[in-house]
Amino acid sequence: MTVLDARSLNRATLARQLLLDRAALPVHDAVAHLGGLQAQEPQEPFTGLWSRLRDFDPAALSDLLAGRRVVRTHLMRRTVHLLTAEDVLAWRARFDAMLRQRVLGTYRRELEGVDLDELAAAGRAVLADGEPRSMGELARAVADRWPSCGPRPLGEMLIAALIPVVQLPPRGLWRAKGGVRNLPLASWLGREIDPLDPADGVGQELVKRYLAAFGPASSADLRAWCGLAGLPAAVKAVRAELVTFRDERGRELLDLPDAPRPDPDTPAPARFLPAFDNAILGYDDRTRIIDDAHRGLSVAGERVVLVDGRVAATWTVEAEEVVVRPLRRLTRPERSAVTEEGAQLAAFLSDGESDRIRVETT
């Protein structure tokens, strides 16, 4: 079985994640290809798409959100993601059990004795008037029935698990600020979510969609991306359609036969990634793109810079200036590439008002 080293996996990841060459894709198609974008920080997906698409216009994403073709909702790993309307309707039922268990993992003691079906029915009854509500407002509306529980656990269970909801614009629009206001997905999109497929075709689709955007990858990587424990049967069902490799640790890696696996010596440009980017979080073993010593950055919300395809710096914005803090010494060509890309990012983030960038010394 062919062994793929870390550099080969890195270049494959960059190609699948549209980070090796910016893609000439419509924004909707890019969101679909990537299987969604992690989006708990509302403005971060704009940077993620700017780094991946040619001539990205942030208004295009805002229009998709306002036009109900892309939505903000809890899904993978119980985190907020941007997903196409088609994907969230097709996939959401497959995530129900995981979302409940993730909330119970945090609030099991507080929710002890609460009948979750009754709680879901109570929450749906409140939302039936069509009025958008915050999590706190919804929780307080049902709290009298479970006075010993407290509003936070009730709200988390309702919004993040029991009732498929969408976070309404202006939340998530370019340059917009707004609190989280929720409506049921079915109300916002005008269609009920698809029922769980008894043959689990949804699981099989998730396996193939994940590999298209993240492969080659292991079953553990797949689970780390979506948070679902019940996909071995889906992997088994599609295994005949896949090819297999090994990594340098001997783990089996699955992939689509015709998916891009570039030459490991393919040059990789400097790229600026937003907080919680799935190019990093979408794996159990992240060493293909980030050193173990820096793994904590990926869950701490640090924005990172890829140099030669790997995390080599963090970045922030201070007074319309992009500030880069290297994690290692950058060579002169690397520093030049980071400066050029960072200046373009500064112009994007400031609507052309500033192209200032400062790369600090290590």
Side-chain angles (χ1 to χ4, degrees), residues 249-289:
R249 293 163 48 193
R251 299 190 316 160
E252 181 186 59
L253 304 175
L254 306 170
D255 206 6
L256 302 173
D258 298 326
R261 289 179 289 275
D263 186 298
D265 291 327
T266 303
R271 289 287 186 257
F272 284 69
L273 298 186
F276 306 112
D277 195 278
N278 274 356
I280 300 173
L281 294 185
Y283 298 97
D284 174 59
D285 181 0
R286 300 173 187 167
T287 56
R288 68 177 67 194
I289 197 166

Side-chain angles (χ1 to χ4, degrees), residues 87-101:
D87 282 346
V88 74
L89 289 168
W91 295 354
R92 179 54 170 79
R94 185 63 178 77
F95 285 77
D96 282 352
M98 180 274 289
L99 293 171
R100 290 187 183 206
Q101 289 305 312

Side-chain angles (χ1 to χ4, degrees), residues 125-322:
V126 172
L127 292 170
D129 62 7
E131 286 296 317
R133 286 176 172 81
S134 69
M135 183 179 73
E137 289 169 342
L138 180 58
R140 288 190 291 273
V142 303
D144 288 349
R145 293 180 59 176
W146 296 277
S148 64
C149 184
R152 182 73 186 194
L154 293 174
E156 289 272 1
M157 181 59 81
L158 285 167
I159 292 298
L162 296 181
I163 304 175
V165 297
V166 58
Q167 296 184 358
L168 298 188
R171 184 76 170 178
L173 301 185
W174 180 241
R175 299 275 187 246
K177 294 184 178 179
V180 178
R181 311 288 290 175
N182 304 282
L183 270 185
L185 269 168
S187 298
W188 182 247
L189 297 179
R191 192 187 114 190
E192 295 292 335
I193 65 171
D194 296 344
L196 187 62
D197 183 350
D200 202 19
V202 173
Q204 296 167 35
E205 176 70 9
L206 283 169
V207 171
K208 291 187 282 189
R209 291 280 296 277
Y210 172 74
L211 293 175
F214 294 87
S218 70
S219 294
D221 294 325
L222 169 64
R223 180 174 179 176
W225 168 68
C226 63
L228 297 175
L231 289 179
V235 171
K236 182 178 180 180
V238 300
R239 182 173 283 274
E241 303 174 43
L242 307 178
V243 293
T244 56
F245 304 93
R246 295 280 180 191
D247 66 11
E248 293 174 300
R249 293 163 48 193
R251 299 190 316 160
E252 181 186 59
L253 304 175
L254 306 170
D255 206 6
L256 302 173
D258 298 326
R261 289 179 289 275
D263 186 298
D265 291 327
T266 303
R271 289 287 186 257
F272 284 69
L273 298 186
F276 306 112
D277 195 278
N278 274 356
I280 300 173
L281 294 185
Y283 298 97
D284 174 59
D285 181 0
R286 300 173 187 167
T287 56
R288 68 177 67 194
I289 197 166
I290 186 171
D291 294 342
D292 279 338
H294 302 308
R295 182 184 173 101
L297 297 174
S298 60
V299 294
E302 293 280 0
R303 299 156 164 170
V304 299
V305 184
L306 301 184
V307 178
D308 192 26
R310 299 187 60 79
V311 173
T314 63
W315 68 276
T316 57
V317 177
E318 300 173 5
E320 295 193 341
E321 180 180 49
V322 171

Side-chain angles (χ1 to χ4, degrees), residues 10-69:
N10 174 268
R11 293 311 192 253
T13 293
L14 297 180
R16 312 292 174 89
Q17 285 288 306
L18 314 180
L19 293 167
L20 201 56
D21 294 297
R22 282 185 167 93
L25 282 177
V27 173
H28 176 277
D29 295 356
V31 174
H33 167 75
L34 295 166
L37 289 86
Q38 192 152 334
Q40 62 261 50
E41 297 294 337
Q43 295 297 303
E44 298 299 301
F46 291 94
T47 299
L49 289 170
W50 175 85
S51 290
R52 289 170 163 92
L53 301 179
R54 297 177 198 167
D55 303 319
F56 171 63
D57 181 357
L61 178 56
S62 291
D63 289 346
L64 289 170
L65 285 160
R68 311 187 188 200
R69 297 190 62 209

